[in-house]
Amino acid sequence: DLVSMFAAPERKAGLTKTKTEKSQKAQKVSLVAPKRNQNVLIGRGRFRLTNEQLAEAIVSLDAAVLTVESIEKMRNLIPTPEEVSMVTSYDGDPNMLADVEKLFLALSVIPRLKQRLDTFHYVRTFDDSFALVKAKVDTYESAVNEIKSCNGIKKVFEVIMAIGNYMNGGPSRGQAYGFKIDSINKL
């Protein structure tokens, strides 16, 4: 009874890994730091394409694959120059490389990868950015036109100028006529 209650259950033969499975998994060559490897694997999991398909989508700037969000995620996955040189200088069997290294190898053949992604991100977000800036410019332009056409504001500036000239016109100030623009905020 003690053995049946407290003994560890026996493993079924189908669930254990054989020595060949363990040795095949151990044979993968990983050249990238473990933390970077994990981050790239997590980011890479969001793309449902092979490494070659992903590289082709970047080269052809496929808008269906490279959305604004995916470009932002992809910019975190691109290999650094050190990682590219490490992967390209590997002289062993490329099939023995781990998944991240295979991705870096596929991306290493794309010329100016970072600049390409940055430029395409700019192209994809230009209309939204332009609309935001245009709205601000239109607001400022409207305010300037209102100030130019408003007779009341001209009268206020005339009064400010007259009072300032009267106060500064005496001999103690040395005939200082006019006012500074930042003094309008104080008024």
Side-chain angles (χ1 to χ4, degrees):
D1 286 342
L2 285 175
V3 170
S4 65
M5 292 173 64
F6 297 108
E10 292 183 23
R11 294 185 181 188
K12 295 182 181 176
L15 297 178
T16 59
K17 292 185 178 181
T18 62
K19 289 182 180 179
T20 57
E21 290 176 12
K22 290 180 183 177
S23 64
Q24 285 176 352
K25 188 174 183 179
Q27 290 178 355
K28 295 287 184 180
V29 176
S30 180
L31 305 171
V32 180
K35 187 171 183 171
R36 169 82 168 139
N37 190 3
Q38 181 181 8
N39 291 339
V40 172
L41 281 176
I42 290 170
R44 175 67 178 95
R46 296 181 178 136
F47 297 96
R48 303 286 183 223
L49 303 169
T50 65
N51 293 336
E52 290 74 21
Q53 290 171 335
L54 186 60
E56 179 59 34
I58 293 171
V59 168
S60 65
L61 298 175
D62 187 358
V65 174
L66 296 175
T67 63
V68 174
E69 296 82 19
S70 66
I71 293 171
E72 290 171 356
K73 292 173 188 171
M74 191 64 195
R75 286 172 21 185
N76 295 329
L77 300 180
I78 58 174
T80 63
E82 296 82 21
E83 292 168 338
V84 169
S85 66
M86 190 175 7
V87 171
T88 54
S89 66
Y90 176 71
D91 56 353
D93 183 16
N95 294 326
M96 299 308 296
L97 290 173
D99 294 337
V100 172
E101 286 74 9
K102 287 180 183 178
L103 172 67
F104 287 174
L105 195 59
L107 295 178
S108 68
V109 297
I110 301 173
R112 297 175 304 283
L113 174 62
K114 183 177 181 342
Q115 293 84 359
R116 183 181 298 259
L117 288 174
D118 290 343
T119 303
F120 196 54
H121 183 266
Y122 179 78
V123 168
R124 296 294 304 263
T125 59
F126 178 78
D127 292 334
D128 294 335
S129 300
F130 180 75
L132 289 173
V133 172
K134 178 137 178 51
K136 290 179 182 179
V137 169
D138 289 345
T139 302
Y140 291 132
E141 187 177 7
S142 172
V144 167
N145 289 336
E146 287 294 321
I147 290 173
K148 282 182 178 179
S149 65
C150 180
N151 289 331
I153 195 83
K154 291 178 185 176
K155 296 269 188 214
V156 170
F157 284 142
E158 285 177 17
V159 170
I160 292 171
M161 184 69 105
I163 291 172
N165 287 344
Y166 179 75
M167 292 174 65
N168 294 334
S172 64
R173 294 283 187 176
Q175 301 292 331
Y177 293 102
F179 64 95
K180 294 182 181 174
I181 295 294
D182 63 348
S183 62
I184 293 176
N185 288 334
K186 296 175 186 172
L187 290 173

